[in-house]
Amino acid sequence: MLPRVLLCGEIEYVQDEFKEMFHGIAEVVHLVSESRSHFLSSFGPDGPYEGTVALYRRNTSSKIVGKFDAPLIHALADTSKVRWIAQNGSGYDEIDVQACKERGILVSNTPRANEDATATTTLYLMISCLRRFSMAERSLRSGTWKTPCNAAQTHDVTGRTLGILGLGGIGLRFAHLAHAFPMRIVYFSRRKAESVPDWCKYVSSVEELCKQADVLSLHVPLNQSTAGMIGEKEIRTLRRGSVLLNTSRGRIVDQEAMIRALDDGHLSSVGLDVYPDEPHVDPRLLTFPQCTLLPHIGGESAESWRTRELQALGNLKAFVLGGIGEDIVPELKTGIGNSTIL
């Protein structure tokens, strides 16, 4: 009997490749549950997910199943054979990885897959905020031409200092794009990055990063140590008139502090693709016409979606074939050797 893998979210871009990848090595089952309780009760004998050893997960499944929080992970470990969750996406904050670690379930994500898409989105946000292009386009569409636009409130990108918080794949790709203007690039990460260009300068703290930046761009994952990382202190350390960009996760920023800084002009603008309580957007943000706001589409393009699906499915296939997959999230890598899960 072939092991079973469960799709918590449909495959959209690589359906033919997907069928070929798992032909003869696993039985694929689809999410049929309409509630969290039905989902968790369906791994037992004669249930639709009986015998499932691994999951492919998209965040869209949370509409039915909810987040993969600690209660769900513990229930999953108690009632099923699931030992691998292949997340489609670089972000995995909807999965409680500590609970997974406690129960012997490994989690993979798809780093690198949407680096270019997210970096170019960040570039767009930066240019739009500095030049107020989003406001200008809305003015044209409303029939007021450029009446609300004031050149004295817009600024060139060239020569400004870009501060990057988190020089991972997306942060480094954005640095390369911004350097072309050129901009001066400084960054802070948990550790100094290796093999970065000489023009990409490391600073010793978040405070020092904020002191130097005209534009601060956030590229760190959301976890316990980064939630609220950019708060009142950090925002007020930025120069008056600075721009804040966030294409990572909304809860990395203290939203109340950010709105206060927009209200009194300490921040000239913000460019956001993410929010603390998506899809809800605080209506106060909509009252600042100089800001550029996107509905969390930064990592979404046909090319990046295809790459993400192939990468997540590749991790799933590697687990089915060998008991261990690729791209295990950092929190779960410690102590992993040869697996004999399957």
Side-chain angles (χ1 to χ4, degrees):
M1 180 178 178
L2 294 175
R4 303 180 98 189
V5 295
L6 170 62
L7 298 185
C8 293
E10 293 303 311
I11 307 301
E12 295 187 37
Y13 290 84
V14 294
Q15 293 179 354
D16 292 340
E17 294 92 333
F18 165 62
K19 292 176 183 177
E20 183 177 342
M21 287 172 73
F22 288 90
H23 178 71
I25 67 169
E27 179 186 354
V28 177
V29 294
H30 295 260
L31 185 68
V32 296
S33 300
E34 296 183 354
S35 69
R36 184 181 178 99
S37 59
H38 180 272
F39 174 76
L40 290 172
S41 66
S42 297
F43 290 90
D46 300 321
Y49 314 139
E50 179 186 6
T52 296
V53 298
L55 305 178
Y56 166 89
R57 182 184 183 276
R58 288 178 54 180
N59 284 348
T60 52
S61 67
S62 63
K63 296 176 183 178
I64 298 170
V65 178
K67 294 182 179 181
F68 276 40
D69 53 16
L72 185 143
I73 294 299
H74 288 301
L76 196 62
D78 288 339
T79 61
S80 78
K81 299 179 180 179
V82 171
R83 291 298 177 266
W84 192 277
I85 301 171
Q87 172 74 3
N88 178 334
S90 57
Y92 50 93
D93 48 288
E94 290 196 1
I95 303 173
D96 191 320
V97 293
Q98 183 57 42
C100 289
K101 186 174 185 177
E102 293 171 5
R103 301 307 300 268
I105 298 174
L106 292 176
V107 179
S108 61
N109 65 337
T110 57
R112 305 174 303 279
N114 62 350
E115 286 178 2
D116 197 66
T118 306
T120 52
T121 297
T122 313
L123 180 67
Y124 162 76
L125 290 173
M126 179 176 68
I127 296 171
S128 181
C129 286
L130 286 170
R131 296 293 308 277
R132 302 201 172 179
F133 284 155
S134 177
M135 182 172 71
E137 181 179 358
R138 279 179 275 119
S139 178
L140 181 145
R141 289 179 180 276
S142 67
T144 57
W145 192 231
K146 56 181 177 181
T147 301
C149 303
N150 183 349
Q153 295 176 339
T154 68
H155 301 282
D156 291 333
V157 178
T158 301
R160 296 195 167 267
T161 297
L162 170 63
I164 296 177
L165 180 59
L167 199 73
I170 295 170
L172 183 58
R173 176 64 176 140
F174 178 44
H176 278 279
L177 294 174
H179 180 66
F181 281 93
M183 294 183 81
R184 175 175 174 260
I185 313 294
V186 294
Y187 78 94
F188 175 75
S189 293
R190 288 176 297 174
R191 61 186 66 87
K192 188 175 181 179
E194 298 179 0
S195 301
V196 298
D198 292 340
W199 46 259
C200 201
K201 302 297 183 183
Y202 176 77
V203 297
S204 59
S205 66
V206 175
E207 181 179 8
E208 184 59 31
L209 186 73
C210 293
K211 284 180 179 178
Q212 296 193 33
D214 297 308
V215 178
L216 177 65
S217 190
L218 311 181
H219 300 281
V220 293
L222 177 63
N223 52 46
Q224 290 182 347
S225 64
T226 61
M229 190 175 190
I230 302 301
E232 186 79 25
K233 176 185 174 183
E234 290 75 22
I235 290 172
R236 297 296 166 174
T237 302
L238 289 165
R239 300 165 182 168
R240 184 171 182 83
S242 295
V243 171
L244 177 63
L245 309 175
N246 191 2
T247 54
S248 52
R249 288 294 185 268
R251 282 186 283 155
I252 291 168
V253 179
D254 180 338
Q255 183 169 256
E256 293 299 319
M258 180 179 69
I259 291 174
R260 283 193 297 271
L262 283 169
D263 213 24
D264 64 25
H266 190 81
L267 287 174
S268 67
S269 182
V270 299
L272 305 177
D273 185 48
V274 290
Y275 308 87
D277 187 26
E278 297 178 7
H280 172 73
V281 177
D282 192 306
R284 292 174 293 174
L285 288 171
L286 306 180
T287 67
F288 300 103
Q290 74 274 26
C291 296
T292 302
L293 309 175
L294 297 176
H296 203 157
I297 59 168
E300 298 185 11
S301 68
E303 292 79 11
S304 67
W305 259 106
R306 178 180 174 80
T307 303
R308 281 164 55 181
E309 286 188 348
L310 285 173
Q311 189 171 346
L313 292 170
N315 292 332
L316 197 66
K317 180 181 178 180
F319 169 76
V320 171
L321 290 177
I324 196 73
E326 302 294 331
D327 300 317
I328 298 170
V329 300
E331 296 91 331
L332 302 181
K333 283 183 178 179
T334 305
I336 294 175
N338 292 326
S339 174
T340 55
I341 294 173
L342 283 180

